[in-house]
Amino acid sequence: MENDFLYKIKELEAAAKKLLLEYSIIEGENAQKFILDTINKFKPIKVIGNLSIGSDISEKLPTDEYEFNFSEKYISGTVSIFFEQDYYNKNQIFVLKNGKLFSKLMQECYGMEYFLTNDINSYLISVNWYVIEILFKNE
């Protein structure tokens, strides 16, 4: 039986194929290092459950209103998507080559909570059922 995370990855993969979007999946040690580096840099307050950055300086948008269009404004280039880091969800990343199209990809998927960042970790975006939080860091 597939676990919930694999289902999410498979759902993103199926949606990307349907929309003819370029993507890849990163697993194992490379994914683990990238996710840990991202978490250590941004220090989100919740990486399990209702995912949240919890920063006083993050921009906050209501999920209902912005989930299917925020990427057009806030994301450029490649985007990496990862989920809660519990036992089942560790060490796997879905990478979408054209991050501006991420919201379009999510229109083809059932609701999920996730984190987004780019390959240089200049931002972290958390999306849960209630709020999209966006935090930029250039250091």
Side-chain angles (χ1 to χ4, degrees), residues 7-52:
Y7 174 75
K8 291 175 186 175
I9 287 287
K10 297 273 187 216
E11 187 172 359
L12 290 172
E13 186 173 34
K17 285 179 180 178
K18 178 180 177 181
L19 296 172
L20 304 174
L21 302 176
E22 283 187 68
Y23 70 92
S24 61
I25 296 170
I26 302 171
E27 300 177 299
E29 289 179 21
N30 290 337
Q32 179 184 29
K33 181 179 180 342
F34 184 81
I35 292 167
L36 286 175
D37 288 348
T38 303
I39 290 170
N40 288 334
K41 180 175 184 176
F42 291 94
K43 302 190 182 338
I45 61 170
K46 291 206 65 176
V47 295
I48 296 176
N50 287 341
L51 305 181
S52 177

Side-chain angles (χ1 to χ4, degrees), residues 54-66:
S55 169
D56 292 337
I57 61 169
S58 62
E59 184 169 346
K60 295 170 181 67
L61 307 169
T63 302
D64 285 347
E65 189 175 342
Y66 290 97

